[in-house]
C-alpha cells in the first residue's frame, strides 16, 4: 500500500503582520519522483542536509519543482518552527513565570522575543522577494538582499543565545533559557539551510548570466569625493559644511522644537519613505535612545562630534540586569538610518564590562564624521549592511564587534588604556555560518592609540582582532597601522577555537604595525596577493554600495 501524505497549508498567521502567508503549493497532492529528486539535490548543498530532507520530503506536490520552489517550501516549514519558539518565549514572559526569573534573564527573553518577531517578519519579506526573483533589480542586488535577510535571521538566533547564556542565573532562569535554546537551535539550522540554498541558486544564476551583468565601478576614479550626480554644487557645499535642512530641532536651551532627543524620536513618523532629519544642537545629552523597527529614514545631524554628544553608562557589570544588547546608549533598528557630526558615548569605563555606545541593526545605515566613544564593546554592528566614513572610534576590548556586513573608510580607530591585565582587541567579528555575507572591512583607515595608551603601550598588548564566532571574517586593507598593534597582529578567542575556519586578511597596509613577517600562523589568516582577491571587499561589492550610498549624500570610495 502506498501512503499518500497531503501537504497542509499553514494554519497560523504571522505575528508581525497578523495575516496568513498562503503557500503557492496549497493544492498539492501526490509527489512525483522528480520533485523528490529536486528536494534532495537542493538539500545536498546545505550544512544540515538530513534535517533539510527530513523536513521537506513529506511535502508532496504534482507539479515540477524548481530550486526556488524548494526554498519557499523550506521557508514555510522554518516559519512553523520559529513561530512555535515565539510562543514558547511569550509564555515564559507571562506574570507567573516572569516574576521567578532574574532581571537579566527577563531582559534576555524580551530581547529574544523581539528578535524572533523580526525574523518572522524577515521570512515573510523573503517569500515576497523570492516570488519576484529574478524579475526585479539586478541579479547581484537581489542576491545580496536575499542573503542579507537570512544572514540577519541567523545572527538574531545567535544573539538570542548569547543573551541567554549567563553563568550567574538561578535554576529557574537557566531552565527557561534551555527551553528557548532548543527551539532557537533548530530554527537556526533551518535558516542556515535556506541561506545555503539561496546562495547556491543565486551564484548559479549570476554565473550563467555573467556576460549580461554590468560591472559598475570598473572605471578608474580620481581621488575625489563621490557625490550623487543630481546634487548641485551649492547642495554639495551645504551637505559638506552646514548639514541638511531639518524637520525638527532639538535644543537644550528651549529654542528648538524639543529639548530632548527622546521626545523628537517619539514624534517621528513610522515607515517614512523620505528622509526625516532631526537636528541636534550642541550639548551633552544624557539619554538612552532607541530608533525602533519601522521608524525608517531617520537622520541625526549634530553640530560636530566634539559638540553634540549623546552619553550613557549602562553596562553588563552594573548588576541591574543589563544584557550587552540593552546596554547601548543609542540603539538603531529602523532601516536607512543616517547620522553625521555627532558622538555616541558610553562612560561605564574599563571596569564596566560590556558597555555599548552605539548598537546598529539598521539595514542600509551610514555614519559620517561621527564619534563612537567607549571601552569594551563600544560599537556593536549587529546585522545587515552598514557603512562608516571619517568616524572616530575608540575603545579597549572587542570595541568593534558584531555580524553586520560593514565597511569602515577613512576612519580613525584608536585603542585606549584598559584595565590592568586586559588586552585590547580592535575587532571581534561574529560570523557563525560560512554562507553569511557578513564581515568587518577596514579600508583606508588609521589604526592607532590614544595618548594614555601610547605612554604605557608595553603593558597593554593591542591586536587587530580575535574570532568571536567560528567563521569570523575581518579584512584590513590599504590602512595605516601604527606600532601599537602587536607584531602577531591577531589573538585567539579560546585556544584553537576557529583558527582554521576564520577568514582574516591584510592587504596593502602601511606603517610600522603593518609588517606581516611575524604574524600568526593560523590556517585562516593570510595576506592577499592581488587586487582580484581584495576586490570582493570593496564598498561596491561587499555592501553593494552603488545601489544605496549615493542617496545618503555621504562621501565614499567604491573601489580599491
Amino acid at each position: 500500500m502506498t501512503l499518500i501524505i497531503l501537504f497542509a497549508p499553514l494554519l497560523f498567521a504571522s505575528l508581525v503582520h497578523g495575516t496568513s502567508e498562503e503557500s503557492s503549493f496549497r493544492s498539492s497532492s501526490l509527489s512525483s519522483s522528480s520533485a523528490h529528486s529536486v528536494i534532495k539535490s537542493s538539500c545536498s548543498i546545505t550544512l544540515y542536509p538530513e534535517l533539510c530532507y527530513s523536513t521537506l520530503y513529506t511535502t508532496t506536490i504534482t507539479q515540477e519543482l524548481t530550486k526556488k520552489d524548494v526554498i519557499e517550501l523550506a521557508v514555510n516549514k522554518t516559519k512553523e518552527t520559529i513561530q512555535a519558539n515565539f510562543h514558547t518565549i511569550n509564555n515564559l514572559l507571562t506574570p507567573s513565570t516572569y516574576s521567578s526569573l532574574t532581571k537579566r534573564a527577563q531582559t534576555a527573553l524580551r530581547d529574544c522575543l523581539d528578535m524572533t518577531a523580526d525574523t518572522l517578519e524577515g521570512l515573510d519579506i523573503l517569500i515576497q522577494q523570492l516570488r519576484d526573483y529574478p524579475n526585479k533589480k539586478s541579479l547581484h542586488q537581489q542576491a545580496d538582499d536575499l542573503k542579507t535577510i537570512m544572514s540577519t535571521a541567523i545572527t538574531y538566533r545567535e544573539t538570542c543565545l548569547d543573551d541567554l547564556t549567563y553563568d550567574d542565573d538561578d535554576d529557574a532562569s537557566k531552565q527557561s533559557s534551555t527551553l528557548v535554546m532548543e527551539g532557537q537551535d533548530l530554527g537556526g539550522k533551518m535558516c542556515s539551510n535556506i541561506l545555503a540554498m539561496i546562495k547556491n541558486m543565486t551564484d548559479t544564476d549570476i554565473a550563467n548570466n555573467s556576460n549580461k551583468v554590468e560591472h559598475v565601478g570598473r572605471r578608474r576614479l580620481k581621488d575625489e569625493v563621490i557625490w550623487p550626480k543630481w546634487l548641485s554644487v551649492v547642495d554639495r557645499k551645504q551637505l559638506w559644511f552646514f548639514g541638511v535642512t531639518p524637520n525638527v530641532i532639538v535644543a537644550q536651551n528651549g529654542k528648538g522644537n524639543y529639548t530632548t532627543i527622546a521626545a523628537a524620536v517619539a514624534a517621528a513618523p513610522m515607515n517614512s519613505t523620505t528622509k526625516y532629519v532631526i537636528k541636534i544642537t550642541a550639548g551633552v545629552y544624557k539619554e538612552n535612545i532607541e530608533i525602533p523597527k519601522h521608524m525608517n529614514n531617520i537622520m541625526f545631524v549634530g553640530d560636530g562630534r566634539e559638540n553634540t554628544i549623546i552619553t550613557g553608562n549602562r553596562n553588563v557589570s552594573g548588576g541591574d540586569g543589563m544584557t550587552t544588547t540593552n546596554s547601548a546608549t543609542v540603539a538603531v533598528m529602523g532601516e536607512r538610518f543616517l547620522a553625521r557630526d555627532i558622538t555616541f558615548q558610553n562612560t561605564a569605563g574599563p571596569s564596566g564590562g560590556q558597555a555599548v555606545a552605539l548598537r546598529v541593526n539598521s539595514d542600509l545605515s551610514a555614519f559620517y564624521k561621527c564619534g563612537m566613544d567607549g571601552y569594551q564593546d563600544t560599537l556593536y554592528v549587529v546585522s545587515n549592511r552598514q557603512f562608516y566614513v571619517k568616524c572616530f572610534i575608540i575603545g579597549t576590548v572587542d570595541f568593534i564587534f558584531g555580524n553586520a556586513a560593514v565597511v569602515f573608510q577613512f576612519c580613525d580607530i584608536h585603542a585606549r588604556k584598559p584595565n590592568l591585565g586586559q588586552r585590547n582587541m580592535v575587532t571581534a567579528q561574529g560570523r557563525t555560518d560560512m554562507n553569511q555575507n557578513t564581515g568587518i572591512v577596514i579600508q583606508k583607515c588609521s589604526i592607532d592609540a590614544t595618548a594614555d595608551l601610547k605612554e604605557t603601550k608595553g603593558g597593554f598588548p593591542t591586536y587587530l582582532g580575535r574570532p568571536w564566532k567560528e567563521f569570523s571574517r575581518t579584512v584590513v586593507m590599504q590602512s595605516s597601522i601604527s606600532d601599537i598593534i602587536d607584531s602577531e597582529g591577531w589573538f585567539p578567542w579560546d585556544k584553537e577555537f576557529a583558527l582554521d575556519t576564520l577568514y582574516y586578511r591584510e592587504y596593502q597596509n602601511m606603517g610600522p604595525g603593518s609588517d606581516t613577517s611575524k604574524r600568526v600562523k593560523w590556517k585562516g589568516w593570510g595576506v592577499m596577493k592581488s587586487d582580484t582577491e581584495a576586490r570582493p571587499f570593496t564598498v561596491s561589492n561587499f555592501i553593494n554600495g552603488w545601489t544605496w550610498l549615493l542617496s545618503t549624500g555621504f562621501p565614499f570610495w567604491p573601489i580599491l
Side-chain angles (χ1 to χ4, degrees):
M1 178 181 292
T2 303
L3 180 62
I4 300 176
I5 303 176
L6 297 180
F7 172 61
L10 299 177
L11 297 178
F12 51 81
S14 164
L15 283 179
V16 178
H17 297 300
T19 59
S20 177
E21 282 289 347
E22 293 187 6
S23 170
S24 59
F25 309 104
R26 181 180 291 272
S27 61
S28 303
S29 55
L30 184 64
S31 171
S32 66
S33 59
S34 61
H36 273 286
S37 178
V38 173
I39 290 173
K40 193 169 185 178
S41 174
S42 296
C43 288
S44 68
I45 53 86
T46 67
L47 298 181
Y48 309 98
E50 292 183 3
L51 172 64
C52 177
Y53 189 70
S54 65
T55 302
L56 297 178
Y57 86 101
T58 56
T59 306
T60 56
I61 61 174
T62 55
Q63 65 192 70
E64 292 297 316
L65 281 179
T66 65
K67 287 182 179 180
K68 190 171 78 166
D69 295 333
V70 175
I71 295 171
E72 186 172 340
L73 290 173
V75 172
N76 281 321
K77 286 292 186 180
T78 301
K79 283 180 62 179
E80 292 182 31
T81 297
I82 294 176
Q83 185 87 42
N85 207 41
F86 183 99
H87 289 307
T88 298
I89 300 169
N90 204 35
N91 289 337
L92 290 171
L93 292 173
T94 56
S96 58
T97 305
Y98 186 77
S99 59
S100 66
L101 305 177
T102 63
K103 287 184 178 179
R104 203 214 57 83
Q106 293 171 357
T107 303
L109 286 172
R110 289 196 300 269
D111 292 345
C112 288
L113 191 72
D114 290 342
M115 287 183 279
T116 303
D118 288 348
T119 298
L120 286 168
E121 181 177 355
L123 292 176
D124 283 341
I125 294 170
L126 183 73
I127 289 173
Q128 294 304 317
Q129 292 194 4
L130 279 171
R131 292 173 182 174
D132 290 337
Y133 181 87
N135 298 318
K136 295 182 178 180
K137 302 180 182 178
S138 70
L139 279 176
H140 282 280
Q141 188 174 354
Q142 289 178 85
D144 194 49
D145 289 346
L146 293 170
K147 287 184 286 187
T148 295
I149 291 171
M150 292 317 302
S151 293
T152 297
I154 296 168
T155 298
Y156 284 166
R157 169 258 188 186
E158 192 67 22
T159 305
C160 171
L161 294 179
D162 288 337
D163 280 357
L164 290 171
T165 305
Y166 197 71
D167 292 337
D168 292 342
D169 276 345
D170 57 21
D171 289 341
S173 297
K174 288 181 179 178
Q175 288 174 5
S176 297
S177 296
T178 300
L179 188 62
V180 175
M181 286 178 180
E182 291 173 356
Q184 291 284 28
D185 184 59
L186 177 59
K189 289 177 179 177
M190 295 173 78
C191 286
S192 170
N193 286 343
I194 294 169
L195 175 61
M197 288 188 282
I198 286 172
K199 186 175 187 300
N200 177 262
M201 177 185 72
T202 56
D203 284 355
T204 300
D205 291 345
I206 289 170
N208 290 339
N209 288 273
S210 59
N211 59 325
K212 301 177 184 178
V213 175
E214 294 181 8
H215 296 283
V216 179
R218 282 186 170 179
R219 65 188 184 279
R220 293 190 60 82
L221 298 172
K222 298 177 181 179
D223 279 335
E224 61 183 15
V225 173
I226 307 301
W227 294 105
K229 292 181 180 179
W230 42 264
L231 279 178
S232 68
V233 174
V234 173
D235 286 338
R236 294 179 194 191
K237 289 182 178 179
Q238 184 183 32
L239 280 168
W240 186 273
F241 293 109
F242 304 112
V244 294
T245 303
N247 294 87
V248 294
I249 297 174
V250 178
Q252 291 177 324
N253 61 10
K255 294 183 178 180
N257 304 92
Y258 303 95
T259 57
T260 67
I261 302 168
V265 169
M270 302 297 285
N271 298 306
S272 176
T273 57
T274 58
K275 192 178 299 179
Y276 185 85
V277 180
I278 300 175
K279 170 69 177 179
I280 306 171
T281 60
V284 177
Y285 296 81
K286 296 181 180 179
E287 303 184 53
N288 288 93
I289 305 299
E290 181 174 304
I291 309 297
K293 192 172 180 65
H294 301 304
M295 187 172 281
N296 303 331
N297 286 296
I298 300 297
M299 182 178 189
F300 281 3
V301 178
D303 275 337
R305 66 181 178 223
E306 298 86 4
N307 302 315
T308 300
I309 300 170
I310 309 175
T311 186
N313 63 0
R314 289 179 178 173
N315 63 88
V316 171
S317 299
D320 51 359
M322 282 292 157
T323 61
T324 302
T325 297
N326 275 274
S327 69
T329 301
V330 175
V332 184
M333 276 72 72
E335 67 178 38
R336 295 184 181 273
F337 178 83
L338 304 177
R340 59 168 295 168
D341 295 302
I342 193 167
T343 285
F344 307 91
Q345 184 182 70
N346 191 309
T347 61
S351 299
Q354 297 95 324
V356 176
L358 175 65
R359 170 170 64 85
V360 184
N361 301 58
S362 172
D363 194 22
L364 309 177
S365 54
F367 298 79
Y368 175 43
K369 295 199 295 184
C370 289
M372 294 84 186
D373 182 357
Y375 288 81
Q376 182 171 347
D377 292 359
T378 300
L379 176 57
Y380 191 178
V381 289
V382 182
S383 58
N384 290 304
R385 292 160 290 192
Q386 305 178 23
F387 179 66
Y388 298 76
V389 59
K390 297 194 75 173
C391 292
F392 183 75
I393 306 161
I394 181 173
T396 56
V397 181
D398 306 334
F399 65 94
I400 301 174
F401 76 112
N403 196 29
V406 57
V407 178
F408 296 87
Q409 285 188 340
F410 306 105
C411 292
D412 291 304
I413 301 171
H414 286 196
R416 73 192 313 167
K417 185 177 178 180
N419 272 345
L420 288 174
Q422 287 186 324
R423 299 179 181 88
N424 286 329
M425 305 290 164
V426 175
T427 66
Q429 205 282 324
R431 187 164 165 253
T432 60
D433 190 299
M434 63 188 297
N435 291 313
Q436 285 179 301
N437 63 345
T438 54
I440 293 172
V441 177
I442 297 173
Q443 182 188 18
K444 299 182 184 293
C445 293
S446 173
I447 300 174
D448 205 347
T450 57
D452 61 346
L453 180 58
K454 287 181 179 179
E455 293 172 358
T456 57
K457 64 182 179 181
F460 303 97
T462 298
Y463 299 85
L464 292 172
R466 58 176 179 164
W468 183 25
K469 302 295 180 181
E470 187 176 3
F471 293 95
S472 181
R473 180 162 65 174
T474 302
V475 174
V476 181
M477 61 185 187
Q478 300 175 318
S479 293
S480 174
I481 306 175
S482 80
D483 61 359
I484 196 64
I485 297 298
D486 188 271
S487 60
E488 290 196 337
W490 308 83
F491 198 79
W493 184 273
D494 183 15
K495 299 179 181 178
E496 301 298 312
F497 172 73
L499 302 189
D500 290 346
T501 52
L502 60 79
Y503 183 93
Y504 286 171
R505 294 293 186 272
E506 299 178 50
Y507 186 60
Q508 292 185 348
N509 296 311
M510 63 203 80
S514 67
D515 181 3
T516 59
S517 63
K518 296 181 181 180
R519 286 292 196 256
V520 294
K521 305 303 179 184
W522 305 339
K523 181 179 178 181
W525 173 85
V527 177
M528 291 178 173
K529 297 178 175 59
S530 68
D531 285 0
T532 300
E533 193 176 351
R535 197 167 288 119
F537 298 96
T538 59
V539 161
S540 60
N541 289 318
F542 195 62
I543 57 173
N544 211 18
W546 277 115
T547 64
W548 63 279
L549 279 175
L550 288 172
S551 66
T552 68
F554 295 170
F556 67 96
W557 188 252
I559 59 175
L560 290 174

